[in-house]
Amino acid sequence: MKRRQFFPFISIVVASLLLVVGLRLFDPSTVIAQSKVNLLVSAAASLKDGMEEIKTSYQQSKPNVNLSYNFGASGALQQQIEQGAPADVFISAGKKQMDALEQKGLLVQGTRTNLANNSLVLIVPSNSTGVTSFNALTDAKVKKIAIGEPRSVPAGQYGEQVLEKLNLLQQVKPKLVYANNVRQVLASVESGNADAGLVYATDAKISNKVKVAVVADDKSHSPIVYPMAVLKSSKNVDAAKEFVQFLTTEPSQTVLKKYGFIVQASKVPAMSR
């Protein structure tokens, strides 16, 4: 090959190699992988079914977000966050736990808002006929009453307030069987290991193995509210804010209403019958 022809040939080869390397460096799939966001939401156990359904619609609208949940008792989740456990968003079943985190400066300012409300109910196995009121819990036939651990489970705290208001707490205290979260209370009544239990209306709604014996008067306990907020420890604050905002929109609120939560009427139109 003549010298004058050789150098243009080498130039073309080098340019081709640089182009291939460049394409690999700027591979779109690499960019997409790098932009993937992981969000971890620590939420009260009573929210499980509704939040799982919301997750499906959210990830369809936000394909770059990997959304995962950590469900448990609100008090236990609060302690995990205080001890440095990773989480981007916290949703509690009571004000007490969120207040504690806010007082310690662990929330992103301005992101706290209320997601929904709930009701407290006394449940019994679906084939039970003996318990039709709170007073019936004092009957000798009722051996075990399941309730959440009041120090860490908001439903247990509300339950004790109801029993105290009705002057029944001291009478039934020997019968109380404490659970680590409200879903364990539900499971105890479903299995027949407890004759009755105190859970949220939303928990009773998802089971055909229990029935509601009586709904607690709202005035007999503190308001059941679900506050949520973005955590300062989040590595994806903007994405976490977007998710919290999504939970307040009509599609999310409609899902929560379907599962029995009390949502703001202005956000969700009345469902047709």
Side-chain angles (χ1 to χ4, degrees), residues 116-168:
N117 294 82
N118 214 332
S119 300
L120 193 73
V121 299
L122 178 67
I123 59 170
V124 295
S126 56
N127 60 354
S128 174
T129 57
V131 178
T132 57
S133 68
F134 280 104
N135 286 329
L137 295 177
T138 62
D139 194 298
K141 293 180 180 179
V142 178
K143 306 293 185 184
K144 294 181 179 180
I145 305 166
I147 187 173
E149 167 53 60
R151 290 171 295 182
S152 59
V153 184
Q157 178 186 350
Y158 301 132
E160 276 203 344
Q161 289 175 358
V162 172
L163 295 173
E164 185 71 47
K165 183 77 173 179
L166 298 173
N167 296 316
L168 295 173

Side-chain angles (χ1 to χ4, degrees), residues 21-31:
V21 172
L23 287 173
R24 287 182 178 177
L25 288 174
F26 295 97
D27 186 349
S29 62
T30 303
V31 175

Side-chain angles (χ1 to χ4, degrees), residues 61-136:
S61 65
K62 298 284 185 178
N64 68 312
V65 176
N66 281 326
L67 181 62
S68 56
Y69 295 122
N70 175 29
F71 294 109
S74 298
L77 296 176
Q78 170 207 332
Q79 291 180 358
Q80 290 174 16
I81 292 167
E82 289 175 343
Q83 293 167 8
D88 298 285
V89 176
F90 177 46
I91 311 176
S92 174
K95 288 177 74 281
K96 176 183 175 182
Q97 293 74 25
M98 191 67 76
D99 287 346
L101 295 185
E102 186 167 29
Q103 289 167 7
K104 293 184 178 182
L106 299 178
L107 308 182
V108 174
Q109 190 173 2
T111 63
R112 178 174 177 172
T113 187
N114 290 335
L115 175 62
N117 294 82
N118 214 332
S119 300
L120 193 73
V121 299
L122 178 67
I123 59 170
V124 295
S126 56
N127 60 354
S128 174
T129 57
V131 178
T132 57
S133 68
F134 280 104
N135 286 329

